[in-house]
Amino acid sequence: MAQILLRGKHVVTMNGARDVVVDGAVLVVDDLVREVGAWSDMQTRFPQAEVLGSENSVVTPGYVNAHQHLTGDRLVRSCIPDAIDSQDAIFGWAVPVHGAHTADDDHLSATLSLVEALGNGITCTVEAGTVAHPDRVADAMREIGSRGTIGRWGWDVGDGPQAAPAAEVLDRMQELLDAHPRGGLVEGWVTLVGHDLMSDELVAGASALARDAGTGITFHLSPHTGDPASYLARTGVRPAVHLDRLGVLGRHVVLAHGVHLDDDEVEIVLRTGTSIAACPWAYLRLAQGVTVGGRYAELFRRGGRLAVGCDSENAGDAIDVLRAATLFVGLARDMETDPFSITAQHGLELATIRGAEAIGMADRIGSLEPGKQADVVVHETSGPQWTTRSPDPVLQLMWASDGRSVSDVVVAGRVVVRDGQCVTVDVAAASAAAAERQRFLLRAAGKG
Ligand SMILES: [Zn+2]
């Protein structure tokens, strides 16, 4: 059996007691965490195990990215200007670029996005719901060795790419769920683009499909004030009120964003146990008003189910959950001028165990405990962000560092990053291919 010992000065378990083992190690056997304990003991008992990390490292669970577009933006990264209206950024740029993607582009884009994600310690990615060729993205996830969920682009309003009648969209989703069953490294989810691009028939049917399959559903809602305005015009009530009346919401739902919620919607989200994936860098990049109208601090304080995401490479940009989680914490502290109720420790929880709980996977991932999947990150601490070394590794990891100190990553017992480099795919070849595709995609979208 394959054995790996992941060694650190601090092993941050994120277990129920939030234990941090000093001079510790994690024993991985095959795809599972077998033991967490003292390095001196485990070194003696398992001399044949491969060792990752050192006496100075920080070892954590793998990070959960609860909202990430794996296709579309990667191949035109940093090409969409930031002096732009968010609707124009999405419908003038991102959607036509997506529409021009071939199946090979989806595979290439997902591969490069996951190289970055894994390099920053993200071991589980919830794809955001805008993939036209999900089987190719699932292939990319498996080849590189990332855990994740995958759905198929679904909308039935308007005539954009992949638009189809509700029944047809649901049939495609059922096929995808059958092809990628729950519990695998890559798990099929029900995904919709969301916003106001779904009929009541589609969103109700999609939610029921996910509930019946025991899997999750995710879609975009209210990152900006446009969704409340359009729901009010169409239905007479705000988005979460309408969706609650349709019976859509619940613990199987991960709403992407939910920035602009009124008091009634906050109560509905809490009552139904609906999760929210917050992507704070995207709101700042797109000027969507999170510091004006965001309710995340209150949702957190009241026990809401929350996770963080990095959204897309032109809105959120860096695929680094630690960076996003620390920003989430900082915004919440500042908006409530309260240094006590949310801290670095909570930020790491959002990136790990709380994030895993919010996407329905806390039984498998999110902490370093015997029997859980072996998704483990080693941070190397020789860099200036770790000098001088604090006795509180979580505070230093969140406020002083981010994904840049990740050195080794294991997913389901497979080493996918070693000494800071992704070792499962040919990164140089993929990067060269991407440069070529960027020119084609920009021209195809009328931007070249
Ligand atoms: Zn998104």
Side-chain angles (χ1 to χ4, degrees), residues 259-282:
V259 173
H260 292 279
L261 304 176
D262 74 359
D263 289 346
D264 290 343
E265 291 179 294
V266 167
E267 297 303 327
I268 287 167
V269 166
L270 291 169
R271 171 173 53 75
T272 57
T274 300
S275 289
I276 289 184
C279 306
W281 283 107

PDB file of all heavy atoms in Angstrom, residues 259-282:
ATOM      1  N   VAL A 259     -25.031  38.466  -2.815  1.00  0.00           N
ATOM      2  CA  VAL A 259     -24.491  39.687  -2.190  1.00  0.00           C
ATOM      3  C   VAL A 259     -25.629  40.598  -1.742  1.00  0.00           C
ATOM      4  O   VAL A 259     -25.656  41.078  -0.618  1.00  0.00           O
ATOM      5  CB  VAL A 259     -23.570  40.441  -3.184  1.00  0.00           C
ATOM      6  CG1 VAL A 259     -23.145  41.787  -2.596  1.00  0.00           C
ATOM      7  CG2 VAL A 259     -22.356  39.587  -3.525  1.00  0.00           C
ATOM      8  N   HIS A 260     -26.583  40.790  -2.676  1.00  0.00           N
ATOM      9  CA  HIS A 260     -27.646  41.764  -2.412  1.00  0.00           C
ATOM     10  C   HIS A 260     -28.909  41.041  -1.954  1.00  0.00           C
ATOM     11  O   HIS A 260     -29.743  40.616  -2.761  1.00  0.00           O
ATOM     12  CB  HIS A 260     -27.888  42.622  -3.656  1.00  0.00           C
ATOM     13  CG  HIS A 260     -26.729  43.515  -3.945  1.00  0.00           C
ATOM     14  ND1 HIS A 260     -26.514  44.720  -3.309  1.00  0.00           N
ATOM     15  CD2 HIS A 260     -25.655  43.339  -4.753  1.00  0.00           C
ATOM     16  CE1 HIS A 260     -25.385  45.263  -3.725  1.00  0.00           C
ATOM     17  NE2 HIS A 260     -24.845  44.440  -4.614  1.00  0.00           N
ATOM     18  N   LEU A 261     -29.013  40.861  -0.647  1.00  0.00           N
ATOM     19  CA  LEU A 261     -30.177  40.221  -0.022  1.00  0.00           C
ATOM     20  C   LEU A 261     -30.823  41.248   0.902  1.00  0.00           C
ATOM     21  O   LEU A 261     -30.118  41.972   1.611  1.00  0.00           O
ATOM     22  CB  LEU A 261     -29.753  39.013   0.809  1.00  0.00           C
ATOM     23  CG  LEU A 261     -28.952  37.914   0.107  1.00  0.00           C
ATOM     24  CD1 LEU A 261     -28.544  36.840   1.123  1.00  0.00           C
ATOM     25  CD2 LEU A 261     -29.748  37.291  -1.034  1.00  0.00           C
ATOM     26  N   ASP A 262     -32.175  41.284   0.922  1.00  0.00           N
ATOM     27  CA  ASP A 262     -32.818  42.136   1.924  1.00  0.00           C
ATOM     28  C   ASP A 262     -33.097  41.303   3.183  1.00  0.00           C
ATOM     29  O   ASP A 262     -32.734  40.117   3.253  1.00  0.00           O
ATOM     30  CB  ASP A 262     -34.073  42.817   1.359  1.00  0.00           C
ATOM     31  CG  ASP A 262     -35.258  41.888   1.208  1.00  0.00           C
ATOM     32  OD1 ASP A 262     -35.140  40.679   1.528  1.00  0.00           O
ATOM     33  OD2 ASP A 262     -36.326  42.364   0.781  1.00  0.00           O
ATOM     34  N   ASP A 263     -33.737  41.917   4.177  1.00  0.00           N
ATOM     35  CA  ASP A 263     -33.937  41.217   5.455  1.00  0.00           C
ATOM     36  C   ASP A 263     -34.707  39.915   5.271  1.00  0.00           C
ATOM     37  O   ASP A 263     -34.366  38.885   5.868  1.00  0.00           O
ATOM     38  CB  ASP A 263     -34.694  42.120   6.444  1.00  0.00           C
ATOM     39  CG  ASP A 263     -33.835  43.273   6.933  1.00  0.00           C
ATOM     40  OD1 ASP A 263     -32.605  43.226   6.726  1.00  0.00           O
ATOM     41  OD2 ASP A 263     -34.408  44.215   7.513  1.00  0.00           O
ATOM     42  N   ASP A 264     -35.764  39.950   4.461  1.00  0.00           N
ATOM     43  CA  ASP A 264     -36.563  38.738   4.267  1.00  0.00           C
ATOM     44  C   ASP A 264     -35.731  37.632   3.612  1.00  0.00           C
ATOM     45  O   ASP A 264     -35.856  36.450   3.954  1.00  0.00           O
ATOM     46  CB  ASP A 264     -37.783  39.032   3.377  1.00  0.00           C
ATOM     47  CG  ASP A 264     -38.812  39.896   4.091  1.00  0.00           C
ATOM     48  OD1 ASP A 264     -38.742  39.986   5.339  1.00  0.00           O
ATOM     49  OD2 ASP A 264     -39.665  40.490   3.402  1.00  0.00           O
ATOM     50  N   GLU A 265     -34.895  38.020   2.665  1.00  0.00           N
ATOM     51  CA  GLU A 265     -34.081  37.017   1.967  1.00  0.00           C
ATOM     52  C   GLU A 265     -33.028  36.405   2.903  1.00  0.00           C
ATOM     53  O   GLU A 265     -32.735  35.212   2.817  1.00  0.00           O
ATOM     54  CB  GLU A 265     -33.417  37.639   0.741  1.00  0.00           C
ATOM     55  CG  GLU A 265     -34.422  37.978  -0.358  1.00  0.00           C
ATOM     56  CD  GLU A 265     -33.743  38.605  -1.555  1.00  0.00           C
ATOM     57  OE1 GLU A 265     -33.211  39.728  -1.405  1.00  0.00           O
ATOM     58  OE2 GLU A 265     -33.722  37.975  -2.630  1.00  0.00           O
ATOM     59  N   VAL A 266     -32.462  37.224   3.782  1.00  0.00           N
ATOM     60  CA  VAL A 266     -31.518  36.686   4.765  1.00  0.00           C
ATOM     61  C   VAL A 266     -32.213  35.630   5.626  1.00  0.00           C
ATOM     62  O   VAL A 266     -31.680  34.528   5.857  1.00  0.00           O
ATOM     63  CB  VAL A 266     -30.931  37.818   5.641  1.00  0.00           C
ATOM     64  CG1 VAL A 266     -30.209  37.243   6.862  1.00  0.00           C
ATOM     65  CG2 VAL A 266     -29.977  38.678   4.816  1.00  0.00           C
ATOM     66  N   GLU A 267     -33.429  35.933   6.063  1.00  0.00           N
ATOM     67  CA  GLU A 267     -34.166  34.965   6.886  1.00  0.00           C
ATOM     68  C   GLU A 267     -34.440  33.680   6.099  1.00  0.00           C
ATOM     69  O   GLU A 267     -34.347  32.573   6.643  1.00  0.00           O
ATOM     70  CB  GLU A 267     -35.492  35.573   7.370  1.00  0.00           C
ATOM     71  CG  GLU A 267     -35.339  36.784   8.281  1.00  0.00           C
ATOM     72  CD  GLU A 267     -34.505  36.505   9.527  1.00  0.00           C
ATOM     73  OE1 GLU A 267     -34.539  35.374  10.050  1.00  0.00           O
ATOM     74  OE2 GLU A 267     -33.796  37.436   9.978  1.00  0.00           O
ATOM     75  N   ILE A 268     -34.778  33.815   4.836  1.00  0.00           N
ATOM     76  CA  ILE A 268     -35.076  32.639   4.003  1.00  0.00           C
ATOM     77  C   ILE A 268     -33.827  31.771   3.830  1.00  0.00           C
ATOM     78  O   ILE A 268     -33.883  30.542   3.953  1.00  0.00           O
ATOM     79  CB  ILE A 268     -35.641  33.087   2.625  1.00  0.00           C
ATOM     80  CG1 ILE A 268     -37.070  33.601   2.803  1.00  0.00           C
ATOM     81  CG2 ILE A 268     -35.575  31.957   1.604  1.00  0.00           C
ATOM     82  CD1 ILE A 268     -37.609  34.354   1.590  1.00  0.00           C
ATOM     83  N   VAL A 269     -32.697  32.414   3.549  1.00  0.00           N
ATOM     84  CA  VAL A 269     -31.448  31.660   3.375  1.00  0.00           C
ATOM     85  C   VAL A 269     -31.127  30.885   4.652  1.00  0.00           C
ATOM     86  O   VAL A 269     -30.775  29.699   4.613  1.00  0.00           O
ATOM     87  CB  VAL A 269     -30.297  32.615   2.985  1.00  0.00           C
ATOM     88  CG1 VAL A 269     -28.942  31.947   3.137  1.00  0.00           C
ATOM     89  CG2 VAL A 269     -30.491  33.105   1.548  1.00  0.00           C
ATOM     90  N   LEU A 270     -31.281  31.539   5.808  1.00  0.00           N
ATOM     91  CA  LEU A 270     -30.968  30.874   7.077  1.00  0.00           C
ATOM     92  C   LEU A 270     -31.978  29.763   7.372  1.00  0.00           C
ATOM     93  O   LEU A 270     -31.613  28.667   7.804  1.00  0.00           O
ATOM     94  CB  LEU A 270     -30.952  31.908   8.209  1.00  0.00           C
ATOM     95  CG  LEU A 270     -29.785  32.913   8.161  1.00  0.00           C
ATOM     96  CD1 LEU A 270     -30.018  34.040   9.155  1.00  0.00           C
ATOM     97  CD2 LEU A 270     -28.457  32.223   8.441  1.00  0.00           C
ATOM     98  N   ARG A 271     -33.254  30.030   7.153  1.00  0.00           N
ATOM     99  CA  ARG A 271     -34.299  29.044   7.479  1.00  0.00           C
ATOM    100  C   ARG A 271     -34.182  27.788   6.618  1.00  0.00           C
ATOM    101  O   ARG A 271     -34.360  26.665   7.112  1.00  0.00           O
ATOM    102  CB  ARG A 271     -35.688  29.678   7.285  1.00  0.00           C
ATOM    103  CG  ARG A 271     -36.832  28.683   7.379  1.00  0.00           C
ATOM    104  CD  ARG A 271     -38.203  29.338   7.368  1.00  0.00           C
ATOM    105  NE  ARG A 271     -38.454  30.252   6.264  1.00  0.00           N
ATOM    106  CZ  ARG A 271     -38.695  29.878   5.012  1.00  0.00           C
ATOM    107  NH1 ARG A 271     -38.708  28.593   4.673  1.00  0.00           N
ATOM    108  NH2 ARG A 271     -38.929  30.781   4.077  1.00  0.00           N
ATOM    109  N   THR A 272     -33.857  27.973   5.346  1.00  0.00           N
ATOM    110  CA  THR A 272     -33.815  26.827   4.434  1.00  0.00           C
ATOM    111  C   THR A 272     -32.472  26.094   4.485  1.00  0.00           C
ATOM    112  O   THR A 272     -32.352  25.002   3.925  1.00  0.00           O
ATOM    113  CB  THR A 272     -34.063  27.270   2.977  1.00  0.00           C
ATOM    114  OG1 THR A 272     -33.081  28.255   2.622  1.00  0.00           O
ATOM    115  CG2 THR A 272     -35.466  27.857   2.822  1.00  0.00           C
ATOM    116  N   GLY A 273     -31.461  26.693   5.130  1.00  0.00           N
ATOM    117  CA  GLY A 273     -30.138  26.066   5.147  1.00  0.00           C
ATOM    118  C   GLY A 273     -29.428  26.139   3.812  1.00  0.00           C
ATOM    119  O   GLY A 273     -28.475  25.386   3.561  1.00  0.00           O
ATOM    120  N   THR A 274     -29.876  27.036   2.964  1.00  0.00           N
ATOM    121  CA  THR A 274     -29.222  27.219   1.669  1.00  0.00           C
ATOM    122  C   THR A 274     -27.807  27.754   1.878  1.00  0.00           C
ATOM    123  O   THR A 274     -27.589  28.645   2.694  1.00  0.00           O
ATOM    124  CB  THR A 274     -30.041  28.226   0.829  1.00  0.00           C
ATOM    125  OG1 THR A 274     -31.357  27.696   0.648  1.00  0.00           O
ATOM    126  CG2 THR A 274     -29.396  28.491  -0.514  1.00  0.00           C
ATOM    127  N   SER A 275     -26.842  27.195   1.133  1.00  0.00           N
ATOM    128  CA  SER A 275     -25.457  27.665   1.240  1.00  0.00           C
ATOM    129  C   SER A 275     -25.214  28.834   0.299  1.00  0.00           C
ATOM    130  O   SER A 275     -25.880  28.966  -0.732  1.00  0.00           O
ATOM    131  CB  SER A 275     -24.485  26.552   0.862  1.00  0.00           C
ATOM    132  OG  SER A 275     -24.458  25.557   1.839  1.00  0.00           O
ATOM    133  N   ILE A 276     -24.218  29.615   0.657  1.00  0.00           N
ATOM    134  CA  ILE A 276     -23.786  30.703  -0.223  1.00  0.00           C
ATOM    135  C   ILE A 276     -22.279  30.605  -0.419  1.00  0.00           C
ATOM    136  O   ILE A 276     -21.518  30.456   0.541  1.00  0.00           O
ATOM    137  CB  ILE A 276     -24.164  32.074   0.353  1.00  0.00           C
ATOM    138  CG1 ILE A 276     -25.686  32.260   0.267  1.00  0.00           C
ATOM    139  CG2 ILE A 276     -23.435  33.198  -0.379  1.00  0.00           C
ATOM    140  CD1 ILE A 276     -26.176  33.605   0.727  1.00  0.00           C
ATOM    141  N   ALA A 277     -21.869  30.697  -1.690  1.00  0.00           N
ATOM    142  CA  ALA A 277     -20.445  30.773  -2.040  1.00  0.00           C
ATOM    143  C   ALA A 277     -20.117  32.231  -2.315  1.00  0.00           C
ATOM    144  O   ALA A 277     -20.614  32.814  -3.286  1.00  0.00           O
ATOM    145  CB  ALA A 277     -20.150  29.913  -3.268  1.00  0.00           C
ATOM    146  N   ALA A 278     -19.312  32.815  -1.459  1.00  0.00           N
ATOM    147  CA  ALA A 278     -18.952  34.227  -1.592  1.00  0.00           C
ATOM    148  C   ALA A 278     -17.622  34.351  -2.326  1.00  0.00           C
ATOM    149  O   ALA A 278     -16.672  33.631  -2.009  1.00  0.00           O
ATOM    150  CB  ALA A 278     -18.835  34.868  -0.209  1.00  0.00           C
ATOM    151  N   CYS A 279     -17.562  35.277  -3.266  1.00  0.00           N
ATOM    152  CA  CYS A 279     -16.357  35.471  -4.083  1.00  0.00           C
ATOM    153  C   CYS A 279     -15.924  36.933  -3.969  1.00  0.00           C
ATOM    154  O   CYS A 279     -16.099  37.721  -4.900  1.00  0.00           O
ATOM    155  CB  CYS A 279     -16.640  35.122  -5.539  1.00  0.00           C
ATOM    156  SG  CYS A 279     -17.324  33.468  -5.763  1.00  0.00           S
ATOM    157  N   PRO A 280     -15.364  37.331  -2.826  1.00  0.00           N
ATOM    158  CA  PRO A 280     -15.198  38.762  -2.562  1.00  0.00           C
ATOM    159  C   PRO A 280     -14.309  39.504  -3.551  1.00  0.00           C
ATOM    160  O   PRO A 280     -14.570  40.674  -3.854  1.00  0.00           O
ATOM    161  CB  PRO A 280     -14.611  38.794  -1.142  1.00  0.00           C
ATOM    162  CG  PRO A 280     -14.115  37.415  -0.872  1.00  0.00           C
ATOM    163  CD  PRO A 280     -14.961  36.498  -1.686  1.00  0.00           C
ATOM    164  N   TRP A 281     -13.283  38.840  -4.079  1.00  0.00           N
ATOM    165  CA  TRP A 281     -12.439  39.559  -5.048  1.00  0.00           C
ATOM    166  C   TRP A 281     -13.221  39.922  -6.304  1.00  0.00           C
ATOM    167  O   TRP A 281     -12.979  40.962  -6.928  1.00  0.00           O
ATOM    168  CB  TRP A 281     -11.202  38.736  -5.416  1.00  0.00           C
ATOM    169  CG  TRP A 281     -10.154  38.779  -4.350  1.00  0.00           C
ATOM    170  CD1 TRP A 281      -9.817  37.779  -3.486  1.00  0.00           C
ATOM    171  CD2 TRP A 281      -9.326  39.907  -4.002  1.00  0.00           C
ATOM    172  NE1 TRP A 281      -8.837  38.208  -2.625  1.00  0.00           N
ATOM    173  CE2 TRP A 281      -8.511  39.495  -2.910  1.00  0.00           C
ATOM    174  CE3 TRP A 281      -9.206  41.195  -4.504  1.00  0.00           C
ATOM    175  CZ2 TRP A 281      -7.580  40.351  -2.323  1.00  0.00           C
ATOM    176  CZ3 TRP A 281      -8.275  42.054  -3.911  1.00  0.00           C
ATOM    177  CH2 TRP A 281      -7.478  41.628  -2.848  1.00  0.00           C
ATOM    178  N   ALA A 282     -14.171  39.088  -6.705  1.00  0.00           N
ATOM    179  CA  ALA A 282     -14.977  39.399  -7.893  1.00  0.00           C
ATOM    180  C   ALA A 282     -15.819  40.647  -7.659  1.00  0.00           C
ATOM    181  O   ALA A 282     -15.969  41.488  -8.552  1.00  0.00           O
ATOM    182  CB  ALA A 282     -15.869  38.213  -8.248  1.00  0.00           C
TER     183      ALA A 282
END
